[in-house]
């Protein structure tokens, strides 16, 4: 154990892998030394575990109805109470974690590459390409995110897939702007000139030499934006435009729980807490990640 | 150097600005038009039904202008939107423009109440957090801000209704007034609080106030989080400057320095932040108004959405975009006008 640690702390690294591991190790130490960021990290790990183990934690599933057990307050049997159809809210929250992870991962997987592609292309080529791409970018940025997503979902029709597309359409512009700014500083550097002299084409330069340099800041940006993405997804669900019942999406649970919430506060309180906790965790973790990944903050 | 060709410089700047506004406006229109064309359902069938014969179908198809080339369709759309009519809202049966005129004051009232809370608490909180950096107060301010960023406003609204309305009976319920008071007041400005005050009808005023307190505060909380965070970082930047140390060394008291020097220098930056916060309130209003059955712009938009009325929805989305962009421009212009360093 201690030899592994000494190896990781070696002053001179012996291989690229060694250097990379060392970097990861120091990043990990920095993250651990920031209690709030680490707490956010732990919450997110917990969320993933809960989602992965949903069939074990709540084996009955999220749609097990029992009208005799309607609107029961939290108890030892039903930790978070039951809803208007007698379904266990704890089980629904647990299974709902899967939806949250599904939405946020998919949005990140769609929006980050689009943003990276647009931003690096605009930044590398400059001139007209830059002007046109950034104008399009500005157009998307001139709507508040939720409003734009609302418009797209209204056009596409409600549903979880369309909600993901709509949110991704609103999530890429800030990433593109960031990637462009990074590219502008990178493209003038000597190593890019060296690669170009060796005969590399624009595509190769962008993909192999510029994109990897943009990834850390994009990851931080996406993590920080994830909190907003989760709130937008929940908002769409609440308005009935995202995941449809009986899917246990947390926002949709709030919207169906509304009719009974004055008599049964837990129906509204619990899913909201879950949303709050997740978005808080992303905010905390994103802040910490910025300190770890952004070399300028050292 | 700026003085001699000042007028020309202004003209060029103004033209450039106008060009940029025109392009943005075009973009807003293009995106909303694009949204309207993304509809997976055939708008003609939506009107005439599946059983309609070919002639009826073609007629409606023609009436809707769908047989024209896409460019022409876009130009017609632009004409409709720019004429300020926005076509008919199918779900209310009125012109969209008429409906919007009716619902807008409610949102303005709510958003103004919210921004007053956001500024009234957010700015002092940010200043205190900066002056007492690292103290418990700073941590509390940070926590309050973080919570504001992370909580779903609509959920805070639901919780607020449960606690302050259903349990404690401290505030009025959903809507702008109790049912018994509706129609008691002559709408002049459409802002209920102002109208009631103008008539001297304090009973209605109190009732309206009890209804706006909760949604206004909850909406204001989000902007409070943003404003206090920005205030703190602006203040910290100023407090680290040499002239602050000089003023303190001269023997000025800490608060006098904060008031007379540091705060005075961040006023312009703050103003732009507040303009932006106001723009973001519109976004929050959509959900808050839905929760509180507040008959404003946001609820109009969501009702249109649920009724599947694309015409109303597109008009709303476009208008929010335009307001958003205008507030950004105003913030920009204020900055340039008021801050001598940018000249």
């Amino acid at each position: 154990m201690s030899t592994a640690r000494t190896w990781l702390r070696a002053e001179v690294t012996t291989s690229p892998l060694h250097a990379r591991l060392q970097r990861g190790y120091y990043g990990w130490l920095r993250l651990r030394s920031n209690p709030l960021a680490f707490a956010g990290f732990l919450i997110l790990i917990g969320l993933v575990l809960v989602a992965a183990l949903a069939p074990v934690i709540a084996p009955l599933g999220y749609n097990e109805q029992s009208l005799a057990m309607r609107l029961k307050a939290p108890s030892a049997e039903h930790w978070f109470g039951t809803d208007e159809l007698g379904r266990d809210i704890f089980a629904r929250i647990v299974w709902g974690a899967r939806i949250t992870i599904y939405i946020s991962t998919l949005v990140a997987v769609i929006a980050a590459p689009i943003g990276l592609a647009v931003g690096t292309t605009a930044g590398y080529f400059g001139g007209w390409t830059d002007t046109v791409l950034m104008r399009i970018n500005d157009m998307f940025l001139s709507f508040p995110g939720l409003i734009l997503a609302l418009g797209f979902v209204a056009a596409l029709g409600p549903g979880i897939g369309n909600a993901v597309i709509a949110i991704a359409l609103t999530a890429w512009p800030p990433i593109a702007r960031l990637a462009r700014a990074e590219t502008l500083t990178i493209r003038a550097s000597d190593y890019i000139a060296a690669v170009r002299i060796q005969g590399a084409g624009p595509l190769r330069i962008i993909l192999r030499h510029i994109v990897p340099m943009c990834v850390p800041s994009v990851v931080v940006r996406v993590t920080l934006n994830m909190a907003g993405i989760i709130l937008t997804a929940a908002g769409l669900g609440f308005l009935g435009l995202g995941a449809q019942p009986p899917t246990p999406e947390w926002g949709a649970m709030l919207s169906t729980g509304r009719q009974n919430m004055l008599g049964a506060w837990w129906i509204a309180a619990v899913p909201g807490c879950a949303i709050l906790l997740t978005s808080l965790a992303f905010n905390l973790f994103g802040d910490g990640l910025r300190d770890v990944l952004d070399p300028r903050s050292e | 150097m700026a003085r001699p060709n000042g007028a020309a410089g202004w003209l060029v700047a103004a033209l450039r600005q106008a060009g940029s506004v025109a392009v943005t406006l075009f973009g807003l229109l293009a995106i909303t038009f694009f949204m309207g064309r993304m509809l997976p359902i055939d708008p003609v069938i939506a009107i005439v039904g599946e059983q309609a014969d070919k002639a009826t179908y073609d007629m409606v198809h023609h009436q809707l202008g769908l047989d024209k080339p896409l460019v022409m369709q876009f130009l017609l759309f632009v004409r409709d939107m720019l004429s300020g009519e926005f076509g008919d809202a199918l779900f209310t049966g009125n012109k969209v423009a008429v409906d919007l005129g009716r619902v807008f004051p409610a949102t303005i009232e709510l958003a103004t109440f919210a921004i007053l809370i956001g500024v009234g608490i957010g700015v002092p909180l940010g200043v205190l957090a900066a002056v007492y950096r690292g103290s418990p107060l700073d941590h509390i301010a940070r926590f309050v801000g973080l919570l504001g960023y992370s909580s779903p406003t609509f959920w805070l609204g639901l919780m607020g209704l449960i606690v302050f309305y259903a349990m404690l009976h401290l505030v009025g319920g959903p809507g702008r007034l109790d049912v018994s008071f509706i129609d008691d007041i002559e709408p002049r400005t459409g802002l209920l609080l102002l109208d009631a005050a103008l008539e001297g009808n304090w009973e209605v005023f109190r009732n309206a106030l009890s209804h706006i307190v909760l949604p206004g505060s909850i909406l204001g909380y989000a902007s409070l989080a943003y404003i206090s965070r920005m205030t703190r970082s602006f203040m910290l930047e100023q407090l680290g400057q040499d002239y602050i140390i000089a003023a303190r060394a001269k023997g000025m008291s800490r608060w006098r320095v904060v008031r007379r020097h540091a705060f005075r220098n961040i006023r312009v930056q703050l103003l732009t932040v507040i303009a932006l916060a106001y723009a973001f309130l519109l976004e929050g209003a959509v959900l808050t108004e839905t929760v509180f059955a507040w008959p404003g712009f946001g609820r109009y938009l969501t009702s249109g959405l649920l009724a599947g009325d694309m015409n109303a929805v597109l008009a709303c989305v476009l208008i929010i975009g335009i307001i958003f962009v205008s507030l950004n421009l105003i913030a920009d212009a204020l900055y340039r006008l008021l801050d001598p360093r940018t000249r």
Side-chain angles (χ1 to χ4, degrees), chain A residues 36 135-136 138-157 165 169 227 231-232 234-236 238-241 251 254-255 258 261-262 264-266 268-273 275-277 279-281 283-284 287 290, chain B residues 20 23-24 26-32 34-36 38-40 142-143 146-147 149-152 154-155 157-159 161-162 165-167 229 279-280 282-283 286-287 290-293 301-302 305-306 310 313-314 316-318 320-322 324-325:
Chain A
L36 281 177
R135 275 294 164 204
I136 295 176
D138 286 348
M139 289 170 191
F140 277 88
L141 280 174
S142 30
F143 293 97
L146 178 68
I147 305 296
L148 193 60
L150 276 180
F152 278 122
V153 179
L156 291 165
I165 295 175
L169 278 173
L231 292 184
T232 308
L236 289 178
F238 177 71
L239 291 174
L241 296 168
L254 276 174
S255 126
R258 251 178 99 185
M261 70 171 191
L262 291 184
W265 55 268
W266 54 90
V270 175
C273 285
I275 300 169
L276 171 61
L277 199 64
S279 109
L280 189 67
N283 270 329
L284 292 173
D287 271 343
R290 177 166 46 198
Chain B
S20 144
V23 172
T24 312
F26 172 82
L28 292 172
L29 285 162
I31 288 183
T32 34
F34 174 62
M35 269 178 194
M38 275 166 73
L39 277 177
R142 182 158 176 238
F143 183 71
L146 204 57
L147 223 53
Y149 272 117
S150 309
S151 32
F154 56 98
W155 176 68
L158 294 175
M159 290 288 103
L161 276 177
I162 293 180
Y165 171 63
M167 289 184 178
R229 191 176 198 166
F280 279 112
L282 285 174
E283 186 180 18
V286 172
L287 289 166
T290 310
V291 170
F292 286 92
L301 170 57
T302 49
L305 269 174
L306 297 180
M310 266 326 264
V313 171
L314 289 185
C316 289
V317 170
L318 182 67
I320 292 189
I322 290 176
F324 199 67
V325 171

Side-chain angles (χ1 to χ4, degrees), chain B residues 101-151:
Chain B
R102 199 166 39 77
V103 298
F104 233 105
T107 299
I108 298 284
E109 189 169 35
L110 187 64
T112 308
F113 189 92
I115 201 80
L116 287 178
I117 294 211
V119 174
I121 302 178
V123 171
L125 195 66
V127 171
L128 283 171
V131 172
Y132 298 110
R133 183 185 190 180
S135 71
L137 193 85
D138 188 15
H139 292 302
I140 291 173
R142 182 158 176 238
F143 183 71
V144 166
L146 204 57
L147 223 53
Y149 272 117
S150 309
S151 32

Side-chain angles (χ1 to χ4, degrees), chain B residues 266-278:
Chain B
I266 68 165
R267 282 182 309 184
V268 176
Q269 281 169 300
L270 266 188
L271 215 55
T272 63
V273 163
I274 291 167
L276 288 183
Y278 201 82

Side-chain angles (χ1 to χ4, degrees), chain A:
Chain A
M1 190 61 204
S2 71
T3 46
R5 213 169 277 170
T6 339
W7 184 70
L8 280 171
R9 285 184 176 161
E11 294 224 347
V12 182
T13 51
T14 49
S15 66
L17 178 71
H18 187 182
R20 228 168 271 161
L21 282 176
Q22 184 173 57
R23 208 174 131 69
Y25 177 68
Y26 283 135
W28 166 250
L29 287 186
R30 254 206 308 275
L31 184 68
R32 276 243 318 255
S33 68
N34 179 345
L36 281 177
F38 195 61
F41 176 71
L42 287 184
I43 295 175
L44 293 180
I45 294 287
L47 185 77
V48 172
L49 282 180
V50 163
L53 298 176
V56 182
I57 302 174
L60 284 181
Y62 57 82
N63 209 18
E64 188 70 21
Q65 302 180 7
S66 153
L67 291 180
M69 291 297 293
R70 297 179 71 230
L71 301 175
K72 291 281 185 263
S75 62
E77 197 188 344
H78 298 288
W79 289 0
F80 293 162
T82 61
D83 68 3
E84 69 283 355
L85 294 173
R87 295 174 295 196
D88 183 36
I89 293 183
F90 176 73
R92 288 177 69 72
I93 293 287
V94 167
W95 285 88
R98 292 193 162 191
I99 315 277
T100 301
I101 291 178
Y102 172 80
I103 294 178
S104 41
T105 314
L106 220 52
V107 168
V109 166
I110 297 173
I114 296 181
L116 264 176
V118 172
T120 49
T121 311
Y124 182 74
F125 289 106
W128 270 105
T129 324
D130 187 28
T131 311
V132 170
L133 286 177
M134 282 302 113
R135 275 294 164 204
I136 295 176
N137 196 46
D138 286 348
M139 289 170 191
F140 277 88
L141 280 174
S142 30
F143 293 97
L146 178 68
I147 305 296
L148 193 60
L150 276 180
F152 278 122
V153 179
L156 291 165
I160 195 164
N162 289 341
V164 166
I165 295 175
I167 299 173
L169 278 173
T170 68
W172 69 268
I175 301 172
R177 190 170 263 197
L178 179 73
R180 174 177 174 268
E182 295 272 328
T183 309
L184 285 181
T185 58
I186 297 169
R187 76 164 177 187
S189 55
D190 290 343
Y191 83 91
I192 295 291
V195 180
R196 200 178 296 139
I197 289 165
Q198 282 175 354
L203 189 67
R204 189 182 172 86
I205 295 179
I206 290 177
L207 281 181
R208 298 289 299 275
H209 299 281
I210 292 182
V211 166
M213 301 298 285
C214 297
V215 164
S217 48
V218 166
V219 167
V220 173
R221 188 77 263 164
V222 168
T223 312
L224 281 170
N225 285 2
M226 206 47 96
I229 287 168
I230 282 174
L231 292 184
T232 308
L236 289 178
F238 177 71
L239 291 174
L241 296 168
Q244 299 297 305
T247 315
E249 199 269 321
W250 296 340
M253 284 171 72
L254 276 174
S255 126
T256 48
R258 251 178 99 185
Q259 288 90 26
N260 298 301
M261 70 171 191
L262 291 184
W265 55 268
W266 54 90
I267 296 187
V270 175
C273 285
I275 300 169
L276 171 61
L277 199 64
T278 313
S279 109
L280 189 67
F282 270 114
N283 270 329
L284 292 173
F285 180 57
D287 271 343
L289 207 59
R290 177 166 46 198
D291 298 340
V292 171
L293 287 184
D294 190 351
R296 271 159 303 188
S297 67
E298 275 170 27

